[in-house]
Amino acid sequence: ANKIEVMYGTASFLDEGRIGVESGHQFDMFRFKHAIVASGARPVPVEGQINSLQLFNLEEVPASLVLSGFTSFTLEAAFAYSALGSDVSIVSDGSQQLELDEDIQKEVSRLLKKRKIKHYPGITHLDWSEGDEMAECTFVNARGEEMRLECSHFYSGEKWEGGTTELGVKRIGVLLDEDRFILTDKEGRTEVPAIFAAGDVTGFPFLAVKGIRQGKTAAEAACGIPGETDLTWIPTVIHSDPPLAFAGFTEKEAIEAGYSVKTGLFPLAANGFAALTGSKEGLMKVVLEEETDRLLGAHLLGEGAIELISGAVLGLEMGARDEDFLFPFYPHPGLGEAFLEAVEQTKGLAIHQPPAKKAKQKEGIPKA
């Protein structure tokens, strides 16, 4: 409908203005004014170990599954396979660690325990071996105890590399990092002015929302339309059970960045719509700057989190203050009211939970 010609085959750059496409015994050469590379990324194979792509395409439900690393991949797999009947364990040594807000982390840990998903954080000396029928995972837990887990399937977060091996981009001057990801500026332009890159081939984070934005920006730049891709407020969504979505600073990150902050928490159990639909598990949290009431971060765990994070991202992009969220009407009953009451809680105004208790002043210490 948009008069786009699609060609199938294996492509490689011949020079800065020509590309060759091979399909079977046929080879065609095309000249271009601009090119956008969107060839993705791929996991580096490790013998005897399933990778991220295979993890969600197993032909059978694992009897027992050990997941190494606390990441979006392992969380999604843990909740999914646990619901299907697998005995699931997560072991994490901190090298592959999803940085969640502390309050959200506590709630996720509670939900893992409730689902009977065993979680071993802070481990050391992780090793695994493959037997005829079962794999064995050994490690030292946070208390210094040696542990051994047997499992039918073992997954460990693998190394990834950019899908540039056969493209010939390095030969014509496109810069790559040590893992073969293409280096670009905020327009998506490479060191070769006519060549752009977008998506996973540009490196982490591997998020579709990033690739979509980079592709649009690169296409506009090729047409002379100014723009840039800014990942400051990019949202992360995790399809766990319940889902998790966040954007901006965690409370800890905001403090470390020099902000004086205040936070608002609201449990979904106190939301009317969540109660009506039986989706009461979860927590809404907002991080605001103390002096300006500006939103710095939003962390949502529970049904509706993935849809609600869009409003938070819009607020972050606009530099919205608490009143920008407090003034509008919210559909009732609806999960959006939980986000509203998280913001209200920063001012002690949430009507469906008691106001936050103020810390008592210690005797002999003057109030600042």
Side-chain angles (χ1 to χ4, degrees), residues 40-114:
R42 57 192 176 194
V44 178
V46 177
E47 185 178 353
Q49 180 179 312
I50 59 176
N51 62 40
S52 301
L53 303 178
Q54 297 166 331
L55 179 61
F56 295 98
N57 290 280
L58 298 176
E59 294 182 357
E60 59 182 7
V61 176
S64 52
L65 174 65
V66 173
L67 303 161
S68 175
F70 192 81
T71 67
S72 57
F73 282 125
T74 56
L75 275 180
E76 289 178 347
F79 281 102
Y81 282 116
S82 175
L84 292 172
S86 296
D87 180 14
V88 180
S89 299
I90 300 175
V91 295
S92 53
D93 60 6
S95 60
Q96 300 176 58
Q97 183 70 27
L98 188 66
E99 295 299 329
L100 299 179
D101 185 89
E102 184 178 354
D103 290 300
I104 299 295
Q105 176 70 63
K106 290 178 181 178
E107 183 67 5
V108 169
S109 297
R110 186 188 71 80
L111 290 172
L112 288 172
K113 186 175 182 179
K114 182 177 181 180

Side-chain angles (χ1 to χ4, degrees), residues 251 254-255 258-264 286-296 321-322 345-347 358:
E251 182 178 355
I255 293 171
Y259 292 101
S260 176
V261 304
K262 57 182 177 181
T263 63
V286 293
V287 180
L288 274 65
E289 185 178 15
E290 181 76 47
E291 292 86 355
T292 65
D293 296 323
R294 180 167 65 100
L295 181 68
L296 296 175
R321 300 169 59 217
D322 58 0
Q345 187 66 6
T346 66
K347 304 176 79 71
K358 295 182 180 180

Side-chain angles (χ1 to χ4, degrees), residues 236-238 242-246 268 283-284 299-310 335:
T236 297
V237 300
I238 300 172
L244 170 61
F246 56 90
L268 270 186
L283 182 71
M284 304 283 174
H299 307 270
L300 316 178
L301 174 64
E303 289 302 321
I306 293 172
E307 289 72 29
L308 291 175
I309 198 64
S310 295
L335 294 172

Side-chain angles (χ1 to χ4, degrees), residues 43-344:
V44 178
V46 177
E47 185 178 353
Q49 180 179 312
I50 59 176
N51 62 40
S52 301
L53 303 178
Q54 297 166 331
L55 179 61
F56 295 98
N57 290 280
L58 298 176
E59 294 182 357
E60 59 182 7
V61 176
S64 52
L65 174 65
V66 173
L67 303 161
S68 175
F70 192 81
T71 67
S72 57
F73 282 125
T74 56
L75 275 180
E76 289 178 347
F79 281 102
Y81 282 116
S82 175
L84 292 172
S86 296
D87 180 14
V88 180
S89 299
I90 300 175
V91 295
S92 53
D93 60 6
S95 60
Q96 300 176 58
Q97 183 70 27
L98 188 66
E99 295 299 329
L100 299 179
D101 185 89
E102 184 178 354
D103 290 300
I104 299 295
Q105 176 70 63
K106 290 178 181 178
E107 183 67 5
V108 169
S109 297
R110 186 188 71 80
L111 290 172
L112 288 172
K113 186 175 182 179
K114 182 177 181 180
R115 302 289 199 282
K116 297 182 179 180
I117 299 169
K118 294 176 284 294
H119 181 207
Y120 301 92
I123 69 164
T124 58
H125 300 87
L126 174 64
D127 195 15
W128 73 283
S129 58
E130 188 178 17
D132 294 333
E133 296 182 359
M134 301 288 284
E136 183 177 276
C137 170
T138 60
F139 57 92
V140 176
N141 67 18
R143 296 189 297 271
E145 302 166 335
E146 293 186 4
M147 302 283 294
R148 180 174 66 88
L149 299 175
E150 284 191 340
C151 59
S152 59
H153 294 75
F154 178 84
Y155 164 80
S156 178
E158 65 284 276
K159 184 178 180 181
W160 289 76
E161 64 180 13
T164 56
T165 305
E166 300 172 352
L167 288 179
V169 288
K170 190 174 183 180
R171 183 178 66 250
I172 62 172
V174 173
L175 295 183
L176 308 178
D177 69 8
E178 59 183 11
D179 295 317
R180 306 190 65 82
F181 292 110
I182 296 178
L183 302 177
T184 68
D185 62 14
K186 289 189 175 183
E187 285 188 319
R189 198 185 302 268
T190 70
E191 284 293 304
V192 179
I195 299 177
F196 298 77
D200 293 352
V201 75
T202 65
F204 292 94
F206 292 161
L207 297 174
V209 64
K210 184 194 83 167
I212 292 168
R213 173 57 58 82
Q214 285 180 316
K216 290 180 178 179
T217 302
E220 290 170 349
C223 296
I225 301 172
E228 68 174 53
T229 297
D230 185 342
L231 304 182
T232 302
W233 306 121
I234 190 169
T236 297
V237 300
I238 300 172
H239 292 269
S240 48
D241 180 25
L244 170 61
F246 56 90
F249 291 94
T250 65
E251 182 178 355
K252 179 181 177 182
E253 288 171 342
I255 293 171
E256 290 177 346
Y259 292 101
S260 176
V261 304
K262 57 182 177 181
T263 63
L265 291 170
F266 190 81
L268 270 186
N271 174 261
F273 190 79
L276 287 169
T277 57
S279 305
K280 297 190 292 184
E281 292 181 330
L283 182 71
M284 304 283 174
K285 179 173 182 176
V286 293
V287 180
L288 274 65
E289 185 178 15
E290 181 76 47
E291 292 86 355
T292 65
D293 296 323
R294 180 167 65 100
L295 181 68
L296 296 175
H299 307 270
L300 316 178
L301 174 64
E303 289 302 321
I306 293 172
E307 289 72 29
L308 291 175
I309 198 64
S310 295
V313 171
L314 179 60
L316 288 165
E317 287 284 0
M318 293 176 64
R321 300 169 59 217
D322 58 0
E323 63 184 17
D324 297 308
F325 296 100
L326 298 175
F327 186 77
F329 289 97
Y330 289 72
H332 174 80
L335 294 172
E337 293 177 296
F339 182 79
L340 167 65
E341 294 209 56
V343 178
E344 288 179 329

Side-chain angles (χ1 to χ4, degrees), residues 11-24:
S12 60
F13 286 93
L14 304 177
D15 55 38
E16 296 182 15
R18 296 184 303 159
I19 193 168
V21 179
E22 184 177 0
S23 180

